[in-house]
Amino acid sequence: MAGTVDNVLEMITTLHVKSKKVTAKEMEELQAFANKCGFQDTLQLWDIPYYQRLHKEELFNIDDDVIRQYFPLPAVLEGLFSICHKLFDITIKEHQEEVDTWHDDVKFYKIFDATGKEIASFYLDPYSRSPEKIPGTWMEIGRNRSDVIGSDPLAYLIFNFYTPAYGKPSLLSFDDVKLLMKKFGHLLQHSLTTIPYNEVAGLTNLEWDVVNVCPFVMSSFLKNYKTVASLSKHVDSGKAISPELHDQLIKRDLYMTGLRLTEELYLCALDLEMYTGKEFWLNLTKRVWSEYMPFPYEKDAAQPCSFPEIFSDQYPAAYFSNLWAEMIAADVFSAFEEAGLDDEEHLQKIGHRFRDTFLSLGGGCHPGEVFRKFRGRDPSTDALLVSLGLSTKHHSQFKSNMKNI
């Protein structure tokens, strides 16, 4: 979708310029906290995780075991299916009796459109089963839509959540809920496609830098208290999570986002320069490091050797893809925010537009055109900065700075 290297560099440069001051301030605050804890030296890269953990505990004091009590898996799924019904006019129902499954934990669901027509189905395998089940989380395509042979989409949603125990259902952490929302974004894009040809339906034939747009959009709804309240139901009291606790969770998620963004931008820039330039790799690494990272480069470091994504994985010259998708998703989600996340009527209109573009068109339409159909303009980096808490710019002030995508 990015179209040109210049567009990617524009994103990287713009985000870096706007996040640099925030990162410096974050480092000053963390340094002051470390000094208060008795640390008498300048923080180095390897010191950061330890003092970040201590600092977050002091700032937010969130007990993740307490958070889990609010997110029993059955309640989260019920709330998620309800959200999908309101936004996309679909109904998701369990149809366990119609199929055989590979384990008693596995559930089978069908998806119906507004007319009651079955349009897709999926298996959900939610729990960890060590050692027989591979660790990790993924959505696997079982069957694509194809009007030629008359097949509807089928998918497998695989998680490794804690198994139910002591008479209680599986309890999810807030990160687990985010993971579920993201994978459901993939599922919806696969299931709600209107493209009739297998080769370009759903997630097939999507460019790398937009594969994760729908997952990021779905997880963005967790910033809204009303959404999270609909997903939560305390395992004992049945109460929804409080606004205060939700606010703390969101603030914790935004903790030191400047530094996190800076690290990602460094890796994106390093990857691109590795594949577009001819500079000796060590000199290049030192130069790019000094431009982005707020730490001195260690003389014995060989940082690219611990960056397998661009050498032995699937992201050579494409590491920017995830950040690009996050930028696009932030801009897309800002349309929901403009409509008002608590205004169900307007929210549904935007939800239908999202369904008719990003969830429907898949690889059958260029992603740049899909974005313009939804947003009416080219993308802006401003929305991502707001999403990460690095800017307070209003939606009306967003300016498109990506061209020819």
Side-chain angles (χ1 to χ4, degrees):
M1 176 184 180
T4 65
V5 173
D6 287 343
N7 273 337
V8 179
L9 292 175
E10 172 69 20
M11 175 191 73
I12 293 172
T13 303
T14 302
L15 292 175
H16 179 53
V17 168
K18 294 183 178 180
S19 65
K20 200 169 184 178
K21 288 184 179 179
V22 177
T23 303
K25 184 179 179 182
E26 290 174 347
M27 288 302 302
E28 288 176 7
E29 292 174 354
L30 190 63
Q31 181 71 58
F33 172 77
N35 294 154
K36 189 178 76 171
C37 293
F39 186 75
Q40 298 178 352
D41 205 346
T42 301
L43 286 173
Q44 299 298 325
L45 186 61
W46 49 84
D47 299 315
I48 301 302
Y50 175 71
Y51 285 105
Q52 278 184 328
R53 179 174 62 81
L54 294 182
H55 198 202
K56 280 197 289 186
E57 288 175 358
E58 180 181 274
L59 289 174
F60 308 112
N61 193 29
I62 295 174
D63 186 339
D64 286 314
D65 287 332
V66 171
I67 299 300
R68 285 183 182 275
Q69 305 298 311
Y70 286 99
F71 296 109
L73 180 59
V76 175
L77 288 175
E78 181 182 352
L80 177 54
F81 295 168
S82 177
I83 290 169
C84 291
H85 177 69
K86 292 175 182 177
L87 287 178
F88 312 126
D89 216 6
I90 59 173
T91 302
I92 303 172
K93 293 182 179 180
E94 185 178 348
H95 283 260
Q96 196 69 18
E97 70 285 350
E98 298 183 15
V99 297
D100 293 325
T101 59
W102 56 94
H103 193 276
D104 290 342
D105 291 341
V106 179
K107 306 296 182 184
F108 180 72
Y109 296 88
K110 291 184 178 181
I111 302 176
F112 302 88
D113 66 14
T115 68
K117 177 186 176 184
E118 180 186 341
I119 56 174
S121 54
F122 66 95
Y123 291 89
L124 172 64
D125 188 352
Y127 308 127
S128 174
R129 291 192 301 277
S130 181
E132 65 182 79
K133 188 176 178 182
I134 300 172
T137 300
W138 62 96
M139 192 221 76
E140 192 74 29
I141 295 175
R143 183 177 64 227
N144 262 356
R145 172 173 174 165
S146 173
D147 289 5
V148 176
I149 62 173
S151 67
D152 292 328
L154 171 69
Y156 305 92
L157 269 182
I158 312 297
F159 297 94
N160 272 276
F161 298 141
Y162 288 147
T163 56
Y166 306 108
K168 293 186 177 182
S170 178
L171 303 176
L172 308 188
S173 68
F174 195 58
D175 284 341
D176 289 336
V177 177
K178 279 189 284 187
L179 192 59
L180 177 60
M181 294 290 281
K182 285 183 177 181
K183 292 306 172 185
F184 222 78
H186 275 145
L187 175 73
L188 291 170
Q189 193 167 16
H190 170 67
S191 301
L192 303 189
T193 182
T194 56
I195 301 299
Y197 305 111
N198 170 74
E199 292 84 355
V200 290
L203 293 164
T204 310
N205 200 45
L206 279 182
E207 296 180 19
W208 273 121
D209 53 10
V210 292
V211 168
N212 287 324
V213 169
C214 293
F216 277 128
V217 171
M218 289 300 294
S219 64
S220 294
F221 280 99
L222 296 178
K223 298 173 185 176
N224 175 246
Y225 172 69
K226 187 176 179 180
T227 300
V228 175
S230 72
L231 297 171
S232 64
K233 184 179 181 181
H234 194 280
V235 68
D236 294 322
S237 69
K239 293 182 179 179
I241 194 169
S242 69
E244 294 77 18
L245 195 49
H246 172 257
D247 185 58
Q248 286 292 89
L249 287 169
I250 299 305
K251 286 180 178 177
R252 186 177 69 172
D253 280 353
L254 294 176
Y255 174 76
M256 291 195 76
T257 49
L259 180 60
R260 278 187 279 152
L261 178 60
T262 295
E263 291 171 340
E264 278 297 292
L265 292 172
Y266 159 70
L267 293 173
C268 291
L270 179 65
D271 173 38
L272 274 185
E273 296 217 27
M274 284 276 188
Y275 283 95
T276 58
K278 296 183 179 180
E279 188 176 359
F280 180 59
W281 71 269
L282 184 56
N283 296 338
L284 187 155
T285 303
K286 289 179 178 179
R287 176 176 59 78
V288 176
W289 179 278
S290 66
E291 291 172 1
Y292 286 86
M293 298 298 290
F295 309 100
Y297 188 83
E298 286 297 307
K299 65 177 183 178
D300 296 326
Q303 196 274 327
C305 296
S306 60
F307 194 13
E309 291 88 348
I310 68 169
F311 296 116
S312 58
D313 209 332
Q314 52 196 3
Y315 290 102
Y319 186 80
F320 72 90
S321 297
N322 200 56
L323 187 59
W324 182 276
E326 191 173 359
M327 177 191 72
I328 297 299
D331 206 337
V332 168
F333 186 70
S334 68
F336 288 95
E337 293 178 311
E338 289 168 16
L341 292 173
D342 295 325
D343 186 334
E344 290 196 8
E345 182 180 349
H346 286 90
L347 201 61
Q348 191 174 59
K349 290 180 181 178
I350 304 299
H352 286 183
R353 192 163 84 222
F354 182 66
R355 180 196 63 195
D356 294 339
T357 50
F358 281 93
L359 298 181
S360 295
L361 299 178
C365 181
H366 189 277
E369 184 61 28
V370 173
F371 182 88
R372 283 186 286 271
K373 284 177 181 288
F374 178 79
R375 209 67 178 95
R377 56 167 173 77
D378 284 329
S380 167
T381 53
D382 292 330
L384 178 58
L385 291 166
V386 172
S387 173
L388 295 175
L390 304 178
S391 171
T392 57
K393 187 176 288 188
H394 190 266
H395 305 128
S396 61
Q397 298 174 297
F398 291 174
K399 293 182 179 179
S400 302
N401 52 350
M402 301 293 138
K403 307 299 180 184
N404 302 315
I405 62 170

